[in-house]
Amino acid sequence: MDRTLTFRQHLESVKDKTKTRNNIIAKLAGTSWGCHANVLRTSALALVYSVADYYAPVWARSAHCKKVDVQLNNTMRIITGTVRSTQLDWLPVLSNIAPPDLRRQVQTELMILKLSNYPDLPVQIDIANHPPKRLSSRKPIWGMARSNKSIEELWGNKWTDTNVRNHFLVSVPDSRVPGFELSRAQWTALNRIRTGQGRCNYQLHKWGMTDSPLCECGLIQTTSHIVEECQIRRFEGGIATLHICRPTAIK
């Protein structure tokens, strides 16, 4: 533990461990080949999240938590096959893993509840008779406001408050989205359509990989244009029908 209890050094170590394990998970899948999403999700929970969540209530209020969150976002991108420009709120929904901050919050609340059942523990005195907070940047565990809500409720409220692209496709974020058992190529393509961030001339032109953002039909070729507007490629029923993954959509 560092002298100032910022946990910077510890979280740097956790970040390095999760990055190494992400490299292992990445060997299991590419853009168009690899394991099913369910296999990748199970592997990520066992290898990456087991390290990232280890005794999180101790350091969950550190200002350096984002070092770990960046690597967990990369983990979810591997599972979902999405590109880096995908809005972050989509990643937990598509990978069916709760957001890292909510996982840490719930773990902390469960630990406090567990401690409250043992009033004879010495730690009770430290929490009840804690020293005054001298630095505004510190967020001690005894000052934490408890929500007493399940992680599903917290996640649902957070998803409701977001304003991501194609938000209407998902009403219950903790339920598994359709298509989890699709092949890697289909799963990747579907998720990029859902998030509006994929291989289209608008994005390729933006990244400097093509000369024009226009579609063959003459309009700007975005992902939503391909699925819903293009006279050449559009899917009957649009993105809402495609999201459900019925046989016609898969074909």
Side-chain angles (χ1 to χ4, degrees):
M1 287 195 277
D2 55 299
R3 182 174 177 273
T4 56
L5 293 180
T6 61
F7 293 97
R8 177 178 172 274
Q9 184 177 354
H10 172 72
L11 292 175
E12 285 280 0
S13 176
V14 174
K15 180 199 75 172
D16 292 340
K17 286 182 180 179
T18 53
K19 184 176 181 179
T20 301
R21 297 181 182 216
N22 273 341
N23 292 336
I24 298 174
I25 300 294
K27 304 298 182 185
L28 299 177
T31 303
S32 59
W33 60 272
C35 300
H36 291 293
N38 194 39
V39 175
L40 294 173
R41 178 182 179 274
T42 303
S43 302
L45 289 172
L47 289 176
V48 183
Y49 278 83
S50 60
V51 172
D53 289 345
Y54 183 71
Y55 227 81
V58 175
W59 48 264
R61 288 153 303 285
S62 170
H64 301 283
C65 284
K66 289 185 178 179
K67 298 178 184 294
V68 178
D69 290 350
V70 168
Q71 295 304 319
L72 294 180
N73 289 337
N74 289 335
T75 306
M76 290 185 281
R77 287 191 189 98
I78 295 170
I79 297 171
T80 59
T82 51
V83 296
R84 197 168 189 82
S85 57
T86 303
Q87 293 168 297
L88 294 180
D89 288 315
W90 262 117
L91 299 179
V93 175
L94 296 178
S95 57
N96 195 224
I97 302 175
D101 58 328
L102 297 186
R103 289 171 66 93
R104 291 192 291 265
Q105 178 181 339
V106 171
Q107 285 183 44
T108 304
E109 292 182 1
L110 289 175
M111 189 188 75
I112 294 175
L113 179 63
K114 184 176 180 180
L115 290 175
S116 65
N117 295 327
Y118 299 93
D120 296 333
L121 289 177
V123 72
Q124 298 290 349
I125 300 174
D126 297 329
I127 294 177
N129 302 313
H130 56 80
K133 187 172 73 169
R134 294 182 294 113
L135 300 175
S136 59
S137 61
R138 296 294 186 267
K139 299 176 182 178
I141 195 170
W142 52 76
M144 175 182 169
R146 279 179 274 180
S147 63
N148 295 321
K149 293 182 179 179
S150 66
I151 195 167
E152 291 80 13
E153 292 177 286
L154 293 172
W155 194 1
N157 294 337
K158 183 175 182 178
W159 179 250
T160 302
D161 295 337
T162 58
N163 190 27
V164 297
R165 189 178 289 107
N166 297 328
H167 181 276
F168 67 93
L169 292 176
V170 176
S171 57
V172 183
D174 60 283
S175 62
R176 186 168 294 189
V177 294
F180 235 77
E181 300 303 326
L182 292 177
S183 68
R184 178 66 179 178
Q186 293 171 328
W187 170 248
T188 297
L190 179 60
N191 286 336
R192 293 183 180 187
I193 292 171
R194 284 166 169 159
T195 58
Q197 297 290 314
R199 188 179 180 87
C200 59
N201 284 343
Y202 172 77
Q203 291 290 348
L204 295 175
H205 179 70
K206 187 176 179 181
W207 298 333
M209 299 174 66
T210 188
D211 296 330
S212 172
L214 299 181
C215 181
E216 288 91 332
C217 66
L219 300 176
I220 294 178
Q221 191 192 68
T222 61
T223 306
S224 61
H225 167 77
I226 293 172
V227 178
E228 298 189 325
E229 302 169 3
C230 183
Q231 297 298 323
I232 303 172
R233 298 185 176 87
R234 69 180 179 183
F235 179 73
E236 190 67 32
I239 191 172
T241 307
L242 193 68
H243 166 74
I244 303 173
C245 283
R246 292 191 176 130
T248 306
I250 295 172
K251 182 180 178 181

